[in-house]
């Protein structure tokens, strides 16, 4: 159970850190995740928490899936075209950094060759995900960003091979340069070939299953989720580079997805979403683990009074790596001098360390056959953790002076305005649908949810009252003309007076101008009218209840001796007596059809008035929020009059029609250059397509 509690606590830390990063984005997400881990470790109840993960399983369950996912983001053609760049960055640069770091620590700190090489191998690999978190909000030169991504995908393998060589030095006491180069080539090339070969077999197996109609999505998804684990473990057991094998497997799986995009679209979409979620979760867990680990590390160093020494040493190692990267990139680029210096500095600072560095540090006891309790291992993990922190904070401070701010595709105000326009157009389309009033009512409410929490905004009070007053006067005129012409009888007039009472309650009471009751009346007018209709049309069910209530009240009046109590009961008796008299007058079951006919007549009188009023307001350029509220209110009333007599329909089918209309509306806005930001159109189109997919699946 302790393992389960630890995992749940780490996931909880990721959740909290992600919300904090979204609220205060001046710090990258990785920093918040580390801080969440530190806070967890500082809580007294968890002060003894130690994340106990087997290093080998840590690499297989966390690092391998992350690298596989990174490989899936890379097109195979991009890999083949940039093979020389990958060899230069992940091979030459990584080996150069490891060599110079090893010599520096050997000559200046008098470390053993094995210890120096182990630390150099651990802090050499870079992390593209951590870089993306650091540069969030800034625009990096495309070529530099491309080179950093390619480097981070493949220099992990170089670092792991370097750590393996360090283990040989520690265990045997010597190392042959020629044998080291041969071993490096064999492990790297062999890992790549193994990854490609196994991936080819897996892809052919999946194709064969799909051809024979074995297309169970759950099984295929699980098969791919297990792929990086199987490939990594198999490659490591063959003494090949599991990291390179997994990266190459990811690249070739990207090719498979492109070819089966339409063959298994649903499966590919699900896999993409799952891998995205899994990557974010695993990266977050690693940084939370780093934060949890920092507390005992710093506690031990404070006791030994060595934290300043380790901080200075880790800063020197980071500056040396950054300088090597700067010089290497400066010699590689062929642009103008000013651009070369700037891009080289961006590249040097972009060497952010993260997941793989921490993972390799945790594997040291396994690789070097040493104990976790040794001072040497504690020092190595301390330096690795400090290098990670420094590599996160330094770019965060200095990259903002070298990079331009990322241009914002659209503002929240633009997105809100576009949402309002599309909802307003959808409301007009819903009114034209040949479906029941109840279905239209539900469609309006569901479509309005596109506004998000803005759907709860109430229209500006004064304008809203003026608009309702105008509409009410036009309705009064139309109803009076119908009464004069004899096309509306007494029953219809009674119903109209009820509706009018509700409208007056909304307009004439200043004491509830901005309160909850006003919003309640507006949004629930349909419900209030439905109660009135239910009482009048279902009198036979209500009559016995009302008679029984009236009899109880009369009995209580006869028994009470209190004058005040008797007066209150008498008022209730009069109230119920009026109700019964009213119902007797208007609920004769023999007149039900006539009553329904009168309701429909009233609707036929009001509908043209409402439609003309809305059309006039649209032509006058009335605020979109007011128009949406007006259409919804008019629709409520129309539904309350109609839905008593309608059979239910397939609502989702009608909603699909509305979503198709909205997509057409966006396409027309893009074609006619309506002024809506193209980025906003794309954002809304993605939302609508996702909603369509869900509805079709349902």
């Amino acid at each position: 159970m302790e393992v389960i509690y630890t995992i749940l606590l780490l996931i909880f830390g990721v959740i909290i850190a992600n919300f904090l990063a979204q609220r205060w984005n001046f710090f990258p997400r990785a920093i918040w995740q580390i801080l969440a881990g530190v806070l967890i470790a500082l809580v007294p109840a968890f002060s003894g928490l130690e994340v106990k993960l087997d290093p080998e399983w840590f690499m297989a369950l966390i690092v391998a899936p992350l690298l596989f996912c990174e490989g899936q983001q890379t097109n195979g053609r991009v890999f083949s075209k940039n093979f020389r760049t990958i060899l230069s960055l992940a091979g030459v640069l990584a080996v150069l950094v490891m060599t110079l770091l090893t010599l520096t620590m050997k000559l200046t700190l008098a470390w053993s060759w094995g210890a120096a090489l182990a630390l150099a191998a651990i802090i050499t690999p870079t992390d593209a995900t951590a870089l993306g978190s650091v540069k969030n909000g800034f625009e990096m030169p495309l070529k530099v960003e491309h080179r950093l991504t390619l480097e981070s995908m493949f220099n992990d393998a170089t670092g792991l091979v370097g750590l393996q060589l360090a283990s040989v030095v520690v265990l045997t006491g010597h190392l042959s340069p020629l044998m080291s180069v041969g071993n490096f080539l064999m492990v790297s090339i062999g890992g790549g070939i193994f990854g490609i070969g196994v991936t080819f077999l897996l892809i052919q197996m999946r194709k064969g299953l799909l051809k024979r109609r074995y297309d169970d999505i759950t099984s295929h998804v699980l098969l791919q989720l297990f792929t990086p684990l199987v490939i990594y473990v198999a490659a490591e057991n063959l003494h090949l580079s599991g990291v390179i094998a997994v990266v190459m497997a990811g690249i070739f799986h990207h090719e498979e997805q492109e070819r089966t995009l339409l063959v298994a679209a649903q499966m590919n979409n699900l896999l993409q979403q799952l891998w995205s979620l899994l990557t974010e979760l695993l990266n977050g867990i690693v940084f939370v683990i780093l934060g949890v680990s920092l507390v005992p590390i710093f506690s031990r160093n404070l006791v030994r009074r060595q934290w300043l020494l380790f901080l200075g040493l880790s800063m020197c190692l980071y500056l040396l790596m950054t300088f090597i990267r700067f010089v290497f990139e400066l010699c590689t680029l062929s642009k103008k001098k000013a651009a070369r210096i700037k891009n080289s500095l961006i590249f040097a600072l972009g060497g952010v360390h993260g997941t793989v560095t921490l993972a390799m540090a945790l594997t040291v006891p396994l690789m070097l056959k040493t104990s976790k309790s040794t001072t040497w291992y504690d020092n190595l993990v301390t330096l690795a953790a400090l290098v990670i922190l420094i590599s996160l904070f330094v770019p965060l401070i200095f990259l903002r002076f070298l990079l331009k701010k990322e241009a914002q595709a659209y503002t929240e105000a633009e997105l809100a305005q576009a949402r309002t326009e599309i909802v307003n157009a959808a409301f007009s389309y819903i009114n034209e649908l040949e479906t029941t009033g109840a279905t239209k009512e539900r469609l309006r409410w569901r479509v309005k949810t596109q506004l998000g929490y803005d759907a709860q905004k109430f229209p500006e009070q004064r304008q809203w009252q003026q608009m309702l007053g105008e509409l009410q006067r036009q309705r009064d005129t139309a109803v009076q003309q119908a009464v004069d012409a004899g096309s509306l009888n007494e029953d219809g007039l009674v119903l109209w007076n009820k509706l009018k009472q509700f409208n007056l309650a909304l307009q004439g009471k200043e004491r509830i101008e901005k309160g909850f009751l006003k919003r309640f009346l507006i949004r629930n007018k349909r419900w209030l009218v439905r109660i009135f209709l239910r009482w009048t049309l279902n009198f036979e069910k209500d009559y016995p209840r009302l008679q029984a209530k009236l009899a109880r009240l009369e009995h209580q009046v006869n028994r009470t001796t209190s004058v005040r109590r008797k007066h209150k009961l008498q008022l209730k008796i009069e109230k119920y007596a009026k109700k019964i008299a009213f119902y007797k007058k208007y609920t004769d079951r023999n007149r039900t059809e006539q009553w329904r006919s009168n309701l429909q007549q009233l609707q036929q009188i009001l509908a043209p008035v409402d439609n003309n009023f809305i059309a006039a307001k649209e032509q006058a350029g009335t605020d979109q929020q007011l128009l949406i509220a007006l259409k919804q209110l008019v629709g409520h009333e129309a539904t309350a009059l109609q839905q008593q007599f309608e059979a239910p329909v397939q609502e989702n089918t009608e909603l699909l029609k509305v979503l198709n209309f909205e997509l057409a509306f966006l396409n027309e806005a893009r074609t006619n250059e309506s002024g809506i930001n193209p980025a906003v159109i794309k954002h809304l189109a993605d939302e609508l397509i996702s909603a369509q997919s869900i509805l079709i699946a349902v």
Side-chain angles (χ1 to χ4, degrees):
M1 290 301 291
E2 184 180 352
V3 175
I4 296 176
Y5 291 147
T6 302
I7 293 173
L8 291 176
L9 195 60
L10 293 175
I11 293 174
F12 180 74
V14 173
I15 293 170
I16 298 300
N18 288 355
F19 281 136
L20 292 174
Q22 190 176 17
R23 175 63 181 86
W24 293 288
N25 56 9
F26 49 83
F27 277 159
R29 184 177 294 181
I31 298 295
W32 286 111
Q33 290 164 347
I34 293 172
L35 288 175
V38 171
L39 291 175
I40 289 173
L42 290 176
V43 173
F46 309 122
S47 57
L49 175 67
E50 182 180 355
V51 181
K52 299 176 181 179
L53 286 174
D54 185 281
E56 195 169 6
W57 281 106
F58 186 83
M59 291 292 294
L61 294 176
I62 294 182
V63 178
L66 289 174
L67 295 176
F68 180 81
C69 188
E70 283 186 16
Q72 282 188 313
Q73 310 303 318
T74 306
N75 193 303
R77 292 181 291 276
V78 173
F79 170 76
S80 60
K81 288 180 180 178
N82 294 275
F83 182 74
R84 291 180 61 183
T85 302
I86 293 170
L87 191 62
S88 170
L89 296 173
V92 177
L93 176 59
V95 170
L96 181 63
V97 169
M98 278 194 295
T99 303
L100 293 178
L101 287 176
T102 303
L103 289 173
T104 301
M105 285 182 283
K106 173 65 179 175
L107 298 176
T108 59
L109 302 176
W111 280 27
S112 66
W113 286 107
L117 180 58
L119 180 59
I122 287 171
I123 63 177
T124 293
T126 55
D127 189 337
T129 304
L131 173 63
S133 181
V134 167
K135 76 174 186 65
N136 186 31
F138 293 93
E139 190 174 342
M140 184 172 283
L142 289 177
K143 185 174 181 181
V144 176
E145 187 173 11
H146 182 62
R147 288 170 65 82
L148 285 169
T149 302
L150 291 174
E151 178 195 23
S152 64
M153 285 179 59
F154 292 93
N155 66 359
D156 304 337
T158 308
L160 284 167
V161 171
L163 188 58
Q164 289 175 345
L165 297 178
S167 67
V168 173
V169 176
V170 170
L171 296 175
T172 63
H174 66 278
L175 180 67
S176 168
L178 185 62
M179 184 179 68
S180 301
V181 173
N183 184 54
F184 174 78
L185 293 175
M186 183 188 72
V187 169
S188 302
I189 297 174
I193 294 173
F194 178 79
I196 294 172
V198 174
T199 303
F200 176 78
L201 294 176
L202 288 174
I203 290 174
Q204 294 303 317
M205 181 183 71
R206 276 201 287 269
K207 284 183 178 179
L209 290 171
L210 290 172
K211 286 179 181 178
R212 291 167 175 78
R213 298 293 184 269
Y214 292 103
D215 54 358
D216 180 70
I217 293 180
T218 303
S219 300
H220 279 276
V221 168
L222 290 175
L223 184 60
Q224 188 171 126
L225 290 177
F226 277 112
T227 295
L229 173 62
V230 172
I231 291 178
Y232 178 84
V233 172
E236 289 294 320
N237 286 332
L238 294 173
H239 304 290
L240 301 174
S241 173
V243 170
I244 290 184
V246 166
V247 171
M248 296 306 297
I251 292 173
F252 274 79
H253 273 86
H254 175 88
E255 296 297 308
E256 181 204 15
Q257 284 185 355
E258 284 191 344
R259 295 177 183 179
T260 61
L261 178 63
L262 299 179
V263 176
Q266 187 178 2
M267 181 179 69
N268 287 333
N269 180 54
L270 180 58
L271 280 169
Q272 186 177 4
Q273 300 298 325
L274 282 175
W275 278 118
S276 176
L277 176 63
L278 189 62
T279 301
E280 292 289 338
L281 177 61
L282 294 179
N283 268 304
I285 287 175
V286 170
F287 284 113
V288 174
I289 290 174
L290 174 58
V292 172
S293 305
L294 285 176
V295 174
I297 287 174
F298 276 94
S299 299
R300 289 192 291 269
N301 287 315
L302 282 173
V303 172
R304 294 183 301 187
R305 299 181 180 179
Q306 291 183 322
W307 66 274
L308 280 176
L309 174 64
F310 283 112
L311 183 62
L313 181 56
S314 57
M315 179 62 77
C316 291
L317 292 173
Y318 173 75
L319 290 176
L320 178 59
M321 280 191 295
T322 304
F323 177 73
I324 296 170
R325 293 171 60 83
F326 173 76
V327 173
F328 182 87
E329 188 71 0
L330 193 65
C331 297
T332 304
L333 295 179
S334 58
K335 287 189 173 183
K336 296 179 182 179
K337 187 174 181 180
R340 284 174 60 195
I341 293 175
K342 181 179 179 180
N343 288 350
S344 299
L345 188 55
I346 293 172
F347 178 84
L349 292 172
V352 181
H353 307 280
T355 305
V356 176
T357 296
L358 181 62
M360 291 172 63
L362 294 176
T363 62
V364 165
L366 178 70
M367 300 282 291
L368 275 60
K369 311 296 184 184
T370 185
S371 172
K372 285 186 177 182
S373 60
T374 60
T375 304
W376 175 81
Y377 171 70
D378 192 46
N379 294 342
L380 186 142
V381 173
T382 301
L383 289 171
L386 287 172
V387 167
I388 293 174
L389 288 176
I390 293 170
S391 72
L392 286 170
F393 276 104
V394 171
L396 185 64
I397 297 171
F398 292 103
L399 278 181
R400 63 181 63 247
F401 300 108
L402 298 172
L403 302 177
K404 294 186 297 184
K405 275 197 172 183
E406 202 170 32
Q408 193 172 5
Y410 55 84
T411 64
E412 290 297 322
E414 286 181 307
L415 181 60
Q417 178 63 24
R419 287 188 193 278
T420 306
E421 288 185 25
I422 193 173
V423 169
N424 191 23
F427 270 35
S428 299
Y429 175 75
I430 290 170
N431 290 336
E432 298 172 1
L433 287 174
E434 295 182 359
T435 185
T436 65
T439 302
K440 290 181 180 180
E441 172 72 7
R442 286 288 303 157
L443 289 175
R444 277 188 290 267
W445 276 104
R446 294 181 72 177
V447 167
K448 195 178 178 183
T449 59
Q450 291 180 69
L451 298 176
Y453 290 107
D454 288 339
Q456 303 300 323
K457 286 177 62 177
F458 196 70
E460 198 277 327
Q461 183 65 29
R462 185 170 298 174
Q463 293 181 350
W464 176 246
Q465 285 191 351
Q466 289 176 353
M467 185 179 290
L468 283 183
E470 290 179 46
L471 178 59
Q472 193 64 47
R473 286 189 291 273
Q474 293 186 20
R475 286 173 162 185
D476 283 337
T477 302
V479 171
Q480 188 60 49
Q481 290 174 353
V483 172
D484 294 341
S487 56
L488 186 67
N489 62 12
E490 185 181 358
D491 290 340
L493 190 58
V494 168
L495 181 58
W496 169 242
N497 287 331
K498 282 290 181 182
L499 277 173
K500 190 175 178 181
Q501 287 175 18
F502 294 139
N503 284 330
L504 290 174
L506 301 180
Q507 297 177 45
K509 295 189 178 181
E510 296 299 330
R511 62 187 175 85
I512 58 170
E513 179 175 332
K514 294 183 179 179
F516 166 77
L517 181 57
K518 181 170 183 66
R519 294 194 295 272
F520 175 81
L521 288 172
I522 287 244
R523 292 171 184 164
N524 296 282
K525 182 185 292 186
R526 171 184 57 81
W527 175 72
L528 296 170
V529 176
R530 186 187 299 175
I531 288 177
F532 168 71
L533 294 176
R534 188 194 64 179
W535 282 349
T536 55
L537 294 177
N538 296 281
F539 176 71
E540 289 178 354
K541 296 179 181 178
D542 292 338
Y543 184 75
R545 180 181 61 82
L546 293 173
Q547 286 282 41
K549 180 67 174 177
L550 186 59
R552 285 197 300 271
L553 290 172
E554 290 174 346
H555 179 67
Q556 291 175 12
V557 167
N558 294 330
R559 293 188 60 183
T560 185
T561 58
S562 169
V563 177
R564 186 176 179 183
R565 170 72 173 162
K566 186 173 290 189
H567 178 67
K568 286 184 177 181
L569 290 172
Q570 194 63 43
L571 290 177
K572 287 186 179 181
I573 289 172
E574 292 177 3
K575 177 183 174 182
Y576 277 92
K578 286 180 180 179
K579 280 186 179 181
I580 293 173
F582 175 80
Y583 293 154
K584 283 183 177 179
K585 182 177 180 181
Y586 289 105
T587 57
D588 184 358
R589 298 302 295 176
N590 297 326
R591 298 172 57 213
T592 299
E593 292 303 323
Q594 182 182 352
W595 175 253
R596 293 179 177 178
S597 175
N598 291 327
L599 292 176
Q600 293 170 353
Q601 286 177 3
L602 179 60
Q603 177 58 28
Q604 290 171 1
I605 294 169
L606 296 177
V609 177
D610 296 340
N611 294 336
N612 293 335
F613 183 80
I614 292 173
K617 291 299 178 183
E618 286 181 329
Q619 291 179 0
T622 305
D623 180 73
Q624 298 279 343
Q625 286 281 356
L626 282 171
L627 284 174
I628 290 174
L630 179 63
K631 290 177 181 178
Q632 192 167 17
L633 181 62
V634 170
H636 286 344
E637 295 176 354
T639 301
L641 296 175
Q642 294 175 8
Q643 66 181 2
Q644 303 293 326
F645 325 114
E646 296 171 340
V649 297
Q650 288 294 328
E651 182 183 316
N652 283 349
T653 304
E654 300 300 320
L655 184 56
L656 279 173
K657 294 179 184 178
V658 177
L659 295 179
N660 284 329
F661 166 79
E662 290 185 334
L663 283 172
F665 178 86
L666 289 175
N667 188 47
E668 185 178 353
R670 180 191 289 113
T671 305
N672 297 336
E673 298 182 357
S674 62
I676 301 179
N677 191 322
V680 172
I681 292 177
K682 181 182 181 303
H683 180 91
L684 293 176
D686 289 342
E687 287 183 351
L688 293 172
I689 291 170
S690 298
Q692 280 184 325
S693 300
I694 293 172
L695 283 175
I696 291 172
V698 172

